[in-house]
Structure formats: C-alpha cells, structure tokens
Amino acid sequence: MARLLIKTAGLENRTFDLRLGINRVGRDPNCDFTIHHPSVSSIHCEIIVSADGVLLRDSNSTNGTFLNGDQITEAWLTRGQEVRLGDVDLFVESTEVNVAIPKYERERPKGPATLEGGAIACSRHSTEPATYRCTHCKDVMCNYCVRIMRIKGGAPLFLCPSCSNKCEPIVGVVAPKKKKGFFARFADTVKMKLTSTPRTRR
C-alpha cells in the first residue's frame, strides 16, 4: 500500500495510507488527509494512485510543493523520497500499488439433455426430441420451435428462432407430427364434405 509519513515536529508519526484514485491533502477538513498547519493551503496538493504508480500534483498552493528540495508542479513518487508541503515534511515510505481485479467465473453452458433412447432433447421443450440444429449458433430445437419460411416454387427454409440462421435436420431423428388444432381439423372436415361425390336421387 502506498504510504506517506509526516516528520515535522508536532505532527510527526502521522501516516497517510493512500487509496486508489485521487487523494486530496490540505488544511481543509473536507480533504482526504487534513494537515492543520498555517503553511499548508486549504487544498495543497493531490496524490493520484493508479496502476502506473503514485503521482504528486500541486494544487496552486501558496507556499508550494517540493520533492527532494525542488519545487514541482507534478512528479512521480518513489520510495525514500522527501516531500515538503509548505513547511511540513513528509517521507515517502511506500509507493506499492495493489490493483485487485475481481474474478468473475462465467457459468459454462450446459450441454443438451438427452431423452430415453439417447435422442437429444429440444433446448426449449425438455420432453421433445430435437429434430433440427442451427448451423450458426448450434442450438437444437424440435418441430414446434423451428421457424419455417415457405418460398413459392421452392423448398421451405428452416430457420433458428434464436439467431434466424439456417437450420439443418438432425440425421436419424424422426420428427413427430404436429397435432392439428381445432381450426385445422374443421377445415379438413369442410374440405372432405365439399369434395365428396353428391348422392343421386332415386
């Protein structure tokens, strides 16, 4: 951890444990690190801690910011250097920066489930066998999920409901026939009546 130690009499042995980001130092009680000394400005300087190191930057202070005796506007700090803010002396005890990056483990996608007999189950209907596989995202789906685009005068296209890319039938899987709804059965009944041979009168 980056740390500065005050050496001036009356303020000695105070340490500033710097945090990542901007650390404001000055006489103002709202600063991150307050130094009650008349030679220190309200906001005297900023100490910026980043993955690149520790940067000291003067904030237009009245009595100046010094590093190893030289007045600076901005300078990188290293361990063992002397910093002076007005008439207050500090020692750079450490410039070690620990930037912790949290680990996020992505949940691995589960493989497709299998039904009795070894058939792959549809990713959306766990009890239905997958009859199509997307050529792009590799999703597997049953007859109820695949989108069918019928082209006049050509073979129908089977499209993935997830990415709208082309799907191919899974070899060796017999697709169950879709159950007809009420209106479909009604239409078939009407069609049969219309196409039946009329009875001859006796």
Side-chain angles (χ1 to χ4, degrees):
M1 179 186 293
R3 181 182 292 112
L4 272 66
L5 175 66
I6 298 181
K7 297 174 61 181
T8 299
L11 301 170
E12 69 270 22
N13 298 325
R14 276 189 61 198
T15 58
F16 295 162
D17 292 323
L18 305 174
R19 66 174 188 275
L20 284 171
I22 298 175
N23 300 265
R24 291 183 175 84
V25 182
R27 203 174 62 252
D28 193 310
N30 292 320
C31 286
D32 300 292
F33 299 101
T34 305
I35 301 176
H36 297 288
H37 195 278
S39 67
V40 176
S41 297
S42 295
I43 301 177
H44 198 101
C45 67
E46 293 179 343
I47 305 173
I48 298 98
V49 180
S50 67
D52 296 324
V54 180
L55 181 69
L56 174 64
R57 179 184 294 157
D58 184 71
S59 298
N60 295 319
S61 61
T62 302
N63 295 310
T65 299
F66 298 81
L67 181 62
N68 289 342
D70 298 323
Q71 187 169 0
I72 59 96
T73 302
E74 186 175 284
W76 292 96
L77 298 182
T78 58
R79 183 180 178 183
Q81 290 179 317
E82 301 278 345
V83 174
R84 191 171 83 248
L85 308 180
D87 294 329
V88 177
D89 294 321
L90 299 94
F91 176 74
V92 182
E93 190 172 281
S94 172
T95 57
E96 184 179 343
V97 179
N98 296 321
V99 181
I101 301 174
K103 286 186 177 180
Y104 294 98
E105 292 187 3
R106 290 183 64 185
E107 187 178 348
R108 295 183 178 180
K110 297 178 181 179
T114 55
L115 303 173
E116 289 184 12
I120 300 173
C122 171
S123 61
R124 296 166 186 79
H125 302 99
S126 58
T127 59
E128 295 292 331
T131 51
Y132 290 90
R133 186 190 307 273
C134 177
T135 57
H136 179 73
C137 69
K138 307 303 179 185
D139 189 14
V140 291
M141 65 215 73
C142 64
N143 268 18
Y144 299 99
C145 296
V146 69
R147 293 178 180 173
I148 303 173
M149 180 183 290
R150 303 190 184 277
I151 301 174
K152 189 174 181 180
L157 291 177
F158 298 93
L159 304 176
C160 175
S162 299
C163 65
S164 299
N165 280 279
K166 183 182 176 182
C167 293
E168 292 180 344
I170 298 175
V171 179
V173 178
V174 179
K177 291 183 179 180
K178 290 186 179 181
K179 294 180 179 179
K180 290 186 177 182
F182 170 77
F183 292 105
R185 293 199 303 272
F186 178 76
D188 288 347
T189 304
V190 172
K191 188 177 179 181
M192 287 175 62
K193 287 183 177 180
L194 291 175
T195 55
S196 61
T197 306
R199 294 181 180 180
T200 56
R201 292 183 180 178
R202 293 182 180 178

